[in-house]
Every structure is written in structure tokens, then in C-alpha cells.
Amino acid sequence: MRWFLVSAVLLSITSARVFAQSSTADTYFAAESPIAKAGLLANIGASGSKSQGAKPGIVIASPSNSNPDYLFTWTRDSALVFQAIIDQFTLGLDITLRPQIDNYVASQKVIQQVSNPSGTISSGGLGEPKFNIDETAFTGAWGRPQRDGPALRANALITWANFLLTQSNSSYVTGTLWPIIKLDLDYVASNWNQTGFDLWEEVSSSSFFTTAVQHRALRQGAALATAIGQTSVVSGYTTQAANALCFLQSYWNSAGSMTANTGGGRSGKDANTVLTSIHTFDADSGCDAVTFQPCSDKALANLFTYVNAFRIYAINSGIAANQGLATGRYPEDSYQGGNPWYLTTLAVAEQLYDALIVWRKEGTLSVTSVSQPFFANLVPGIAVGTYASSTATFTAITTAVKDYADSFVAVVAKYTPSGGGLAEQYSRSNGSPTSAVDLTWSYAALLTAFGARNGVVSASWGAKGLTVPATCQRSGGGGGSGTVTASFNVQATTVFGENIYLTGSVDALVNWSPDNALLLSADSYPIWRITVNLPASTSIQYKYIRKFNGAVTWESDPNRQFTTPSSGTFTLNDSWR
Ligand SMILES: *[C@@H]1O[C@H](CO)[C@@H](O)[C@H](O)[C@H]1NC(C)=O
Ligand SMILES: *[C@@H]1O[C@H](CO)[C@@H](O)[C@H](O)[C@H]1NC(C)=O
Ligand SMILES: *[C@@H]1O[C@H](CO)[C@@H](O)[C@H](O)[C@H]1NC(C)=O
């Protein structure tokens, strides 16, 4: 029924090409969403058909166990998958999912406490990116820590908690959920201003996606704490939320897009930014650019820049400027051949569907000088201005944006194999599926894009009306801008010609760079010494390294960690390990 209705309306106002695209998206979503739902549930233990060995509530990233081996559970992927599941349950779209949510809660309560190479529960272990599917620690080398995971898990569980409060189930919220959520929020509040690996696990620096989801977690965490009377944490979370929001603005660059990571030496054009927009969407906050809402001028300008970076793929050649492309993580990507991903292409469509939800809800739409190039690509000659829903221009723009969004879905549809399985990637040269099969995140991305196209709106997280502090602080209480003097002493025996160096998580410790690591003095051998000025009241991680004949040897994991005092001097006495 809906297929005919939507198609008929669009056909009457635009071209036959739109008819084709809209009906492709309709047909594809109708067929693919049950497949995606089943594919997602198959990857959740203990009963999922493709996740044997996973404990209840554990999300495997993919059943693929070689080239690549994704038979692990990532905190990030799991939280995004369960955010989608919790949204479906709490919005009444699928009331069968409650046992899955209960299992997820129980599994995360266990995983949080598992000591791992990033540390213990009290020394940074929450930053560990992935675990074995039997809930034991993964001890191999990896890009760690990753600081988006605890924030995303808190976001999913806060959505769940807020729903249960409306069901008068506050005893479960306070007794079971809050202790889990609080551990994650405390970690975010203490560590948001530390570097870590980005969501693609490659670049250690600050990352737009990470900062944005941390900001959301602290903001809605403070609101939940207030609602359940946990008042002692409210001001700390609120202060750090404001600090993170302030820092978030700095990712916007002079070329008119977001630079995804502060490090990494790339163009900065990255699906990281589009994923941020859809995973911090709050329909109540309109087109606010402070939180880079999907319909904000900054997020749309950024989307235009991001999409066009993928014309380099052969399967995109000859596609018109106003039509969807196959998009990947970032144009410099070479992982598994550096291909488009299903979840990143779907994220473009979802951002645009989210934008349409808000424009229609508000009955108005603004084209600013920042977003004009995005709009002019779809509606040539469009002028800067505000267009009410009663105008023909509003109709022309929203029709063109819907068409554009559907054209990205049409790309995904074109390269979905018969059977409907969604891998991680599809080939840049011929579109055939590649890398891990049945990626759980691909299925979740399909379901949330479909929901957004149908006007499904997740609960507000409090993004409305936020203001950015005039000056950016690192921590609360005013002491954050000072420095303290730290003396590092490490006992280490060395051979002639071998030297000991220091590097760590802050600028003063050269941000984990082995090349630029600070040389210690051997004047008191076998104690090696250095004195450094460090930011006050800051959680810092570090390691010593050895260099000998050009070879670098790191201390064993986990990273050493401490918090600097608010003022004064102090000494760390270590032994090489
Ligand atoms: C509260 O929610 C939990 C988690 O789903 C459930 O086990 C419990 O039965 C609920 N309690 C009430 C009173 O509804
Ligand atoms: C910490 O916050 C300050 C102030 O916003 C910012 O200049 C700095 O780059 C941040 N560092 C990290 C690693 O987030
Ligand atoms: C390190 O040793 C010095 C004496 O050499 C001592 O004053 C200081 O308290 C020690 N620091 C720690 C953290 O144990």
C-alpha cells in the first residue's frame, strides 16, 4: 500500500528517475529489514544462530573468524547495536526484545569488571576496546584505549533507564542500571580530555565521534542522576559536559567541514563525522549547529565534503553530482583494500532522513552561507534564506533531499547480494561484498536508516538550547589550567648505547610518540630521571621505552596511570617492567 502511495505522490511532482529511486528504496527496505533484523539477532549470544560460544547478551562483531577475525565483542559495536534494540523496544516497535536487553545489561556488568591490558576497573580498564566472546580479556596487541565505548554504553543504558522510569521501575534503575552507568560516566568525566584510538582503531589522538558521544553521555547522565536523586555527581558531569562541548567546536575547520581526528595526518574527511550526526541526533534540538545536528548547516556542509571525497572509487565513476555514491570510512583508507562500507553509505541516507524529520516537524528550513553549496547541488541556484513549509521552495528542497537520501539506499541495494547478507565492505572496483560477512553493525545501520526514513524518532537526550562556554577548560573547579612539576624516576638496567625514554597521553609527554619520546638522564644510573611540567588535575597515562641501535622496546601493558595534583610538585618512582 505505502509503496504505491509514496511513489504516486513523488511521480506527480518530479521526474520518473525519482520514481525509480523511491521505489527502489521502498522495495529494498521492505525485503531487507527482516533479513537485517534476523542477521542482527543471529549475532547475539547465547541463542543467536551464528554466535555459538558467546555468553548471553554478548554481541559478536561478525561470525568471520579469519581474514578478518571479528569473532570478538567490541564495546562500541555492542552499544550501538543495543541502542538500536533499546530504541525499538522503548518505542513499541518490537516488544519481544526485553530478554535481550536484560542479557546485555548482565553481560556488561561482568565485562566492566574484567581486568585487561588497558587496566582494571579502577585504573582505566573501561577503555579496553574488545573482549573475547566468553567475557574474558583479549590480551593481544591492539589500538588501546578507545574512549568512545563507555560513553556509547552509557547512552544506550540511559535510554533504557529513562524508559523504565516512565514505567515506575525506579528500583531496577537505581539498584541495577545506575551502578553500571555510573562507572562509565565516571570514566568519561575523568578521561574525556585524554587521547585514545578513534572508532576505526587506527589513529591515537582526539576524535570528533568520541568527544561528541562523550558529551552526550555526560549531559544525559547528569539529567538521569538528577532524576534518581544521585545529586553528588551532577555538577561534575555537567562541568565536564560543558568542557567537552567547548572542545567539540574545535573540530570544525576553516575549509568548512569537520576534521575527524586531531592526529593521523589525513584529510580529516571521515564517516566518523556522519556517524556522529546520526548517533547524537535529538529531534527536539532543531537544526542546532552547536551539537552538529543532522540538519544543521555545519553537518550538511560536512556531509557534502565527505561524500565527494569518494569519487575516487571506480564504482562511482560517471555518477551525477546530485546522485548517491558508494562511500567508505575515509578516502585514504587501505584496510582490506580500502572499500566502501554498507554502514557508512547508509549513515549518509540516515543523516538526510533525520534532517527531513526536523524540517517537516518545524515547518521551516534554512539555507545559510555555510550549507548553501550542499543545497545548490540538489536545487541549482537556491538562495540563502528561510523557507516555510507552505512555499514551493520548501517542497522542492525536501523532495530533492529525500530523492538524494534514497539514492544512497539504491547504491546499497545495488550491491547487496541475493540473499541479503550484509558484509562489512563492498568492492570499490566492482561492488561485490568483501571483508567480514554478516557484520552486526551493518545490520543495525540498515534498521536505523529504515526507521529514520519512516519518521521514527529516538528519545531526546537533552541537546536543546545548549550554549558553548566562552573559554574552553580541561577540568572543573578552576584548577585545570595550571601546571605541576613532575619528576619521573625509573630504575632500569641497560647495555652500553641503550637509552631510556618517556612518552604518554598528553602534549607534554609527546602524545605517545616513540620518535619524539623524551630522553631521560642516566646521571644517577641505574635510576633514569626526567622532570616535566604537566597539566594539573589531569589523568595521565605513560610508559617508558628503550631504544638501542634503532630498535624500540615498550614496557609491557597496561599503561601506567596517575592523576596530577591541582598544584605543586611530585615524584613518581618506577621500575622498568
Ligand atoms: C523492572 O525492569 C526489570 C528489567 O527488565 C525487570 O526485570 C523487572 O521485573 C521490572 N520490575 C517491575 C516492577 O516492573
Ligand atoms: C583538552 O581540552 C583542551 C581545552 O579544550 C584542548 O585544547 C585539548 O586539545 C584537549 N585535549 C584532549 C586530548 O582532548
Ligand atoms: C619517590 O621517592 C622520593 C625519594 O627519593 C620520595 O620523596 C617520594 O615520596 C617518592 N614518591 C612516591 C610516589 O613514592
Side-chain angles (χ1 to χ4, degrees):
M1 284 295 280
R2 194 167 48 79
W3 191 93
F4 283 107
L5 184 67
V6 171
S7 302
V9 169
L10 287 177
L11 186 62
S12 67
I13 52 177
T14 66
S15 69
R17 181 177 49 72
V18 175
F19 172 80
Q21 245 152 227
S22 173
S23 69
T24 298
D26 279 344
T27 311
Y28 177 66
F29 274 132
E32 184 64 21
S33 59
I35 296 171
K37 184 70 165 293
L40 181 146
L41 294 175
N43 288 354
I44 303 176
S47 55
S49 62
K50 295 191 175 174
S51 46
Q52 280 85 7
K55 288 278 176 72
I58 289 293
V59 180
I60 65 168
S62 152
S64 173
N65 60 7
S66 72
N67 190 30
D69 184 0
Y70 281 10
L71 199 47
F72 296 96
T73 186
W74 270 262
T75 302
R76 168 183 41 258
D77 296 38
S78 305
L80 291 171
V81 165
F82 266 94
Q83 180 77 58
I85 288 176
I86 289 166
D87 284 346
Q88 289 222 341
F89 181 86
T90 56
L91 296 170
L93 299 170
D94 184 346
I95 57 163
T96 70
L97 295 169
R98 188 167 197 144
Q100 297 279 5
I101 301 170
D102 289 341
N103 287 344
Y104 174 64
V105 171
S107 72
Q108 298 311 297
K109 184 179 173 175
V110 172
I111 286 254
Q112 279 187 324
Q113 303 290 335
V114 174
S115 296
N116 60 65
S118 293
T120 66
I121 181 67
S122 54
S123 69
L126 292 174
E128 181 70 0
K130 72 173 192 182
F131 293 83
N132 297 319
I133 65 173
D134 64 357
E135 298 176 345
T136 61
F138 167 76
T139 55
W142 209 253
R144 57 169 66 93
Q146 295 175 23
R147 305 189 197 277
D148 54 342
L152 292 166
R153 179 167 52 204
N155 287 332
L157 294 181
I158 292 169
T159 306
W160 183 224
N162 288 338
F163 170 79
L164 292 176
L165 291 180
T166 69
Q167 307 291 301
S168 306
N169 194 342
S170 61
S171 62
Y172 181 80
V173 172
T174 305
T176 302
L177 293 180
W178 178 250
I180 302 169
I181 293 168
K182 180 174 185 292
L183 285 171
D184 283 337
L185 293 176
D186 286 349
Y187 177 87
V188 173
S190 333
N191 291 290
W192 72 270
N193 196 227
Q194 300 298 316
T195 55
F197 280 83
D198 70 323
L199 79 171
W200 309 133
E201 320 194 281
E202 294 170 344
V203 176
S204 183
S205 69
S206 301
S207 191
F208 181 68
F209 178 82
T210 303
T211 306
V213 299
Q214 288 173 332
H215 168 249
R216 173 179 167 170
L218 292 167
R219 192 70 69 181
Q220 63 180 357
L224 174 63
T226 303
I228 61 173
Q230 300 287 332
T231 48
S232 65
V233 297
V234 172
S235 101
Y237 293 170
T238 305
T239 301
Q240 296 298 36
N243 291 341
L245 182 65
C246 197
F247 181 48
L248 190 66
Q249 311 306 310
S250 69
Y251 293 90
W252 178 252
N253 62 46
S254 58
S257 60
M258 261 80 85
T259 303
N261 300 308
T262 58
R266 299 176 186 151
S267 62
K269 300 168 188 173
D270 194 312
N272 167 322
T273 59
V274 182
L275 290 164
T276 297
S277 213
I278 64 174
H279 291 299
T280 56
F281 176 42
D282 183 341
D284 286 357
S285 66
C287 297
D288 196 350
V290 161
T291 52
F292 301 93
Q293 288 300 308
C295 57
S296 67
D297 56 358
K298 286 183 173 174
L300 291 172
N302 175 73
L303 188 78
F304 190 49
T305 301
Y306 160 76
V307 166
N308 283 323
F310 294 92
R311 296 206 167 268
I312 55 174
Y313 292 163
I315 57 170
N316 289 330
S317 89
I319 295 181
N322 64 354
Q323 291 297 297
L325 303 181
T327 70
R329 300 191 301 177
Y330 51 92
E332 302 87 348
D333 197 359
S334 61
Y335 172 65
Q336 296 274 337
N339 296 296
W341 287 36
Y342 293 102
L343 75 91
T344 58
T345 311
L346 287 164
V348 175
E350 185 168 338
Q351 184 185 329
L352 296 167
Y353 294 138
D354 286 346
L356 286 162
I357 287 170
V358 175
W359 291 329
R360 289 178 177 146
K361 176 176 171 228
E362 304 214 323
T364 178
L365 176 166
S366 288
V367 177
T368 72
S369 59
V370 171
S371 58
Q372 199 269 349
F374 163 82
F375 286 106
N377 178 49
L378 302 178
V379 180
I382 186 77
V384 168
T386 295
Y387 303 99
S389 58
S390 56
T391 62
T393 308
F394 181 94
T395 305
I397 293 173
T398 52
T399 302
V401 169
K402 169 80 177 345
D403 176 23
Y404 189 49
D406 283 348
S407 71
F408 285 89
V409 176
V411 169
V412 171
K414 181 174 178 185
Y415 298 121
T416 298
S418 62
L422 292 181
E424 180 183 73
Q425 310 181 18
Y426 51 107
S427 162
R428 63 194 288 161
S429 53
N430 64 20
S432 61
T434 185
S435 191
V437 295
D438 291 316
L439 191 81
T440 324
W441 191 355
S442 295
Y443 291 131
L446 186 293
L447 295 172
T448 57
F450 182 44
R453 187 170 189 264
N454 286 341
V456 172
V457 176
S458 309
S460 168
W461 57 268
K464 185 175 180 176
L466 298 176
T467 54
V468 181
T471 53
C472 291
Q473 307 274 332
R474 293 165 185 272
S475 62
S481 54
T483 57
V484 293
T485 304
S487 297
F488 291 82
N489 300 331
V490 59
Q491 180 164 356
T493 48
T494 47
V495 297
F496 185 75
E498 187 176 38
N499 287 304
I500 303 291
Y501 295 75
L502 170 67
T503 185
S505 60
V506 290
D507 289 349
L509 300 181
V510 299
N511 294 310
W512 293 118
S513 163
D515 292 343
N516 301 326
L518 311 173
L519 175 64
L520 276 65
S521 159
D523 288 353
S524 313
Y525 184 86
I527 308 288
W528 295 73
R529 296 180 187 276
I530 191 169
T531 299
V532 185
N533 287 331
L534 296 174
S537 305
T538 300
S539 168
I540 291 175
Q541 294 192 0
Y542 68 101
K543 267 186 183 176
Y544 300 101
I545 60 180
R546 291 171 185 266
K547 295 192 191 182
F548 184 53
N549 280 345
V552 174
T553 309
W554 291 77
E555 280 194 296
S556 55
D557 284 332
N559 297 331
R560 297 177 184 272
Q561 179 162 14
F562 67 103
T563 300
T564 53
S566 56
S567 62
T569 63
F570 71 106
T571 306
L572 290 153
N573 303 317
D574 297 320
S575 291
W576 175 272
R577 63 188 188 205

Short mmCIF file of all heavy atoms in Angstrom, two decimals, residues 356-385:
data_model
loop_
_atom_site.label_atom_id
_atom_site.label_comp_id
_atom_site.label_asym_id
_atom_site.label_seq_id
_atom_site.Cartn_x
_atom_site.Cartn_y
_atom_site.Cartn_z
N LEU A 356 15.17 15.60 7.34
CA LEU A 356 13.79 15.76 6.85
C LEU A 356 12.78 15.70 7.99
O LEU A 356 11.80 16.45 8.00
CB LEU A 356 13.49 14.66 5.81
CG LEU A 356 14.18 14.87 4.46
CD1 LEU A 356 14.21 13.57 3.66
CD2 LEU A 356 13.48 15.97 3.65
N ILE A 357 13.03 14.82 8.97
CA ILE A 357 12.13 14.71 10.13
C ILE A 357 12.01 16.08 10.80
O ILE A 357 10.91 16.54 11.12
CB ILE A 357 12.66 13.66 11.13
CG1 ILE A 357 12.45 12.25 10.57
CG2 ILE A 357 11.99 13.82 12.50
CD1 ILE A 357 13.15 11.14 11.38
N VAL A 358 13.15 16.74 11.01
CA VAL A 358 13.13 18.01 11.75
C VAL A 358 12.52 19.13 10.90
O VAL A 358 11.72 19.93 11.40
CB VAL A 358 14.54 18.37 12.25
CG1 VAL A 358 14.56 19.74 12.91
CG2 VAL A 358 15.04 17.30 13.21
N TRP A 359 12.92 19.20 9.64
CA TRP A 359 12.35 20.27 8.79
C TRP A 359 10.82 20.17 8.72
O TRP A 359 10.11 21.16 8.80
CB TRP A 359 12.93 20.18 7.37
CG TRP A 359 14.37 20.56 7.30
CD1 TRP A 359 15.04 21.44 8.09
CD2 TRP A 359 15.34 20.04 6.38
NE1 TRP A 359 16.36 21.51 7.72
CE2 TRP A 359 16.58 20.66 6.66
CE3 TRP A 359 15.29 19.11 5.33
CZ2 TRP A 359 17.74 20.39 5.95
CZ3 TRP A 359 16.44 18.84 4.62
CH2 TRP A 359 17.66 19.47 4.93
N ARG A 360 10.32 18.94 8.59
CA ARG A 360 8.86 18.76 8.50
C ARG A 360 8.20 19.07 9.83
O ARG A 360 7.14 19.68 9.88
CB ARG A 360 8.54 17.34 8.04
CG ARG A 360 8.91 17.16 6.58
CD ARG A 360 8.65 15.74 6.10
NE ARG A 360 8.96 15.64 4.67
CZ ARG A 360 9.47 14.57 4.07
NH1 ARG A 360 9.73 13.49 4.78
NH2 ARG A 360 9.72 14.57 2.78
N LYS A 361 8.86 18.66 10.92
CA LYS A 361 8.32 18.91 12.26
C LYS A 361 8.25 20.41 12.54
O LYS A 361 7.27 20.91 13.08
CB LYS A 361 9.24 18.22 13.27
CG LYS A 361 8.92 18.42 14.71
CD LYS A 361 9.88 17.58 15.56
CE LYS A 361 9.73 17.93 17.00
NZ LYS A 361 10.79 18.19 17.83
N GLU A 362 9.31 21.13 12.14
CA GLU A 362 9.36 22.55 12.44
C GLU A 362 8.64 23.39 11.39
O GLU A 362 8.39 24.57 11.61
CB GLU A 362 10.82 23.00 12.57
CG GLU A 362 11.56 22.17 13.62
CD GLU A 362 12.62 22.93 14.38
OE1 GLU A 362 13.29 23.78 13.76
OE2 GLU A 362 12.75 22.68 15.59
N GLY A 363 8.36 22.79 10.23
CA GLY A 363 7.65 23.52 9.18
C GLY A 363 8.47 24.62 8.55
O GLY A 363 7.92 25.55 7.95
N THR A 364 9.79 24.51 8.66
CA THR A 364 10.65 25.54 8.08
C THR A 364 12.05 24.97 7.88
O THR A 364 12.40 23.97 8.52
CB THR A 364 10.69 26.79 8.98
OG1 THR A 364 11.57 27.74 8.41
CG2 THR A 364 11.15 26.47 10.37
N LEU A 365 12.79 25.63 7.02
CA LEU A 365 14.11 25.12 6.63
C LEU A 365 14.97 26.31 6.26
O LEU A 365 14.52 27.21 5.55
CB LEU A 365 13.87 24.20 5.44
CG LEU A 365 14.93 23.51 4.65
CD1 LEU A 365 14.27 22.44 3.79
CD2 LEU A 365 15.70 24.45 3.77
N SER A 366 16.21 26.32 6.75
CA SER A 366 17.09 27.46 6.43
C SER A 366 18.28 27.01 5.60
O SER A 366 18.90 25.98 5.88
CB SER A 366 17.61 28.10 7.72
OG SER A 366 16.56 28.79 8.36
N VAL A 367 18.57 27.82 4.59
CA VAL A 367 19.80 27.67 3.80
C VAL A 367 20.72 28.80 4.23
O VAL A 367 20.35 29.97 4.11
CB VAL A 367 19.50 27.76 2.29
CG1 VAL A 367 20.80 27.67 1.49
CG2 VAL A 367 18.51 26.69 1.86
N THR A 368 21.87 28.46 4.79
CA THR A 368 22.82 29.51 5.21
C THR A 368 24.00 29.53 4.25
O THR A 368 24.13 28.64 3.39
CB THR A 368 23.35 29.24 6.63
OG1 THR A 368 24.26 28.13 6.58
CG2 THR A 368 22.23 28.94 7.62
N SER A 369 24.86 30.51 4.41
CA SER A 369 26.04 30.57 3.53
C SER A 369 26.91 29.33 3.72
O SER A 369 27.59 28.89 2.80
CB SER A 369 26.84 31.84 3.79
OG SER A 369 27.25 31.86 5.15
N VAL A 370 26.85 28.73 4.92
CA VAL A 370 27.65 27.51 5.18
C VAL A 370 27.06 26.30 4.44
O VAL A 370 27.80 25.50 3.86
CB VAL A 370 27.71 27.26 6.71
CG1 VAL A 370 28.33 25.90 7.02
CG2 VAL A 370 28.48 28.37 7.40
N SER A 371 25.74 26.18 4.43
CA SER A 371 25.11 24.99 3.84
C SER A 371 24.69 25.19 2.39
O SER A 371 24.27 24.23 1.74
CB SER A 371 23.90 24.56 4.67
OG SER A 371 22.95 25.61 4.74
N GLN A 372 24.82 26.40 1.87
CA GLN A 372 24.33 26.68 0.51
C GLN A 372 24.93 25.74 -0.56
O GLN A 372 24.19 25.26 -1.43
CB GLN A 372 24.57 28.16 0.17
CG GLN A 372 23.73 28.68 -0.98
CD GLN A 372 24.41 28.54 -2.33
OE1 GLN A 372 25.60 28.24 -2.41
NE2 GLN A 372 23.64 28.72 -3.40
N PRO A 373 26.24 25.45 -0.53
CA PRO A 373 26.77 24.53 -1.55
C PRO A 373 26.11 23.14 -1.52
O PRO A 373 25.87 22.53 -2.56
CB PRO A 373 28.26 24.44 -1.21
CG PRO A 373 28.56 25.72 -0.50
CD PRO A 373 27.32 26.03 0.29
N PHE A 374 25.80 22.65 -0.32
CA PHE A 374 25.09 21.36 -0.21
C PHE A 374 23.73 21.46 -0.91
O PHE A 374 23.38 20.59 -1.73
CB PHE A 374 24.90 20.97 1.26
CG PHE A 374 23.86 19.90 1.46
CD1 PHE A 374 24.17 18.56 1.28
CD2 PHE A 374 22.54 20.24 1.79
CE1 PHE A 374 23.19 17.57 1.43
CE2 PHE A 374 21.57 19.26 1.94
CZ PHE A 374 21.89 17.92 1.76
N PHE A 375 22.97 22.50 -0.60
CA PHE A 375 21.62 22.62 -1.17
C PHE A 375 21.67 22.92 -2.67
O PHE A 375 20.87 22.40 -3.44
CB PHE A 375 20.84 23.72 -0.45
CG PHE A 375 20.37 23.33 0.93
CD1 PHE A 375 20.99 23.83 2.07
CD2 PHE A 375 19.31 22.44 1.09
CE1 PHE A 375 20.55 23.46 3.34
CE2 PHE A 375 18.86 22.07 2.36
CZ PHE A 375 19.49 22.58 3.48
N ALA A 376 22.63 23.75 -3.09
CA ALA A 376 22.70 24.14 -4.51
C ALA A 376 23.02 22.95 -5.40
O ALA A 376 22.64 22.92 -6.57
CB ALA A 376 23.74 25.25 -4.69
N ASN A 377 23.69 21.96 -4.84
CA ASN A 377 23.97 20.74 -5.60
C ASN A 377 22.69 20.00 -5.95
O ASN A 377 22.61 19.31 -6.97
CB ASN A 377 24.91 19.85 -4.79
CG ASN A 377 25.22 18.53 -5.48
OD1 ASN A 377 25.57 18.52 -6.65
ND2 ASN A 377 25.05 17.43 -4.77
N LEU A 378 21.66 20.16 -5.10
CA LEU A 378 20.40 19.44 -5.31
C LEU A 378 19.34 20.32 -5.95
O LEU A 378 18.50 19.85 -6.71
CB LEU A 378 19.88 18.91 -3.96
CG LEU A 378 20.85 17.97 -3.21
CD1 LEU A 378 20.25 17.55 -1.87
CD2 LEU A 378 21.17 16.75 -4.05
N VAL A 379 19.36 21.60 -5.60
CA VAL A 379 18.40 22.56 -6.15
C VAL A 379 19.23 23.72 -6.72
O VAL A 379 19.52 24.68 -6.00
CB VAL A 379 17.41 23.05 -5.07
CG1 VAL A 379 16.41 24.03 -5.66
CG2 VAL A 379 16.70 21.87 -4.42
N PRO A 380 19.63 23.63 -7.97
CA PRO A 380 20.55 24.62 -8.54
C PRO A 380 20.02 26.05 -8.37
O PRO A 380 18.83 26.31 -8.56
CB PRO A 380 20.63 24.24 -10.02
CG PRO A 380 20.35 22.77 -10.02
CD PRO A 380 19.34 22.56 -8.93
N GLY A 381 20.93 26.94 -7.95
CA GLY A 381 20.57 28.34 -7.83
C GLY A 381 19.87 28.71 -6.54
O GLY A 381 19.48 29.87 -6.35
N ILE A 382 19.69 27.75 -5.63
CA ILE A 382 18.97 28.05 -4.38
C ILE A 382 19.67 29.18 -3.62
O ILE A 382 20.89 29.19 -3.50
CB ILE A 382 18.84 26.78 -3.50
CG1 ILE A 382 17.97 27.05 -2.27
CG2 ILE A 382 20.19 26.28 -3.05
CD1 ILE A 382 16.51 27.08 -2.57
N ALA A 383 18.87 30.13 -3.12
CA ALA A 383 19.43 31.28 -2.42
C ALA A 383 19.44 31.05 -0.92
O ALA A 383 18.61 30.30 -0.38
CB ALA A 383 18.60 32.53 -2.73
N VAL A 384 20.37 31.68 -0.26
CA VAL A 384 20.39 31.70 1.21
C VAL A 384 19.07 32.29 1.68
O VAL A 384 18.59 33.29 1.13
CB VAL A 384 21.59 32.56 1.71
CG1 VAL A 384 21.47 32.86 3.19
CG2 VAL A 384 22.90 31.84 1.40
N GLY A 385 18.45 31.66 2.67
CA GLY A 385 17.18 32.18 3.16
C GLY A 385 16.46 31.13 3.99
O GLY A 385 16.93 30.01 4.14
#
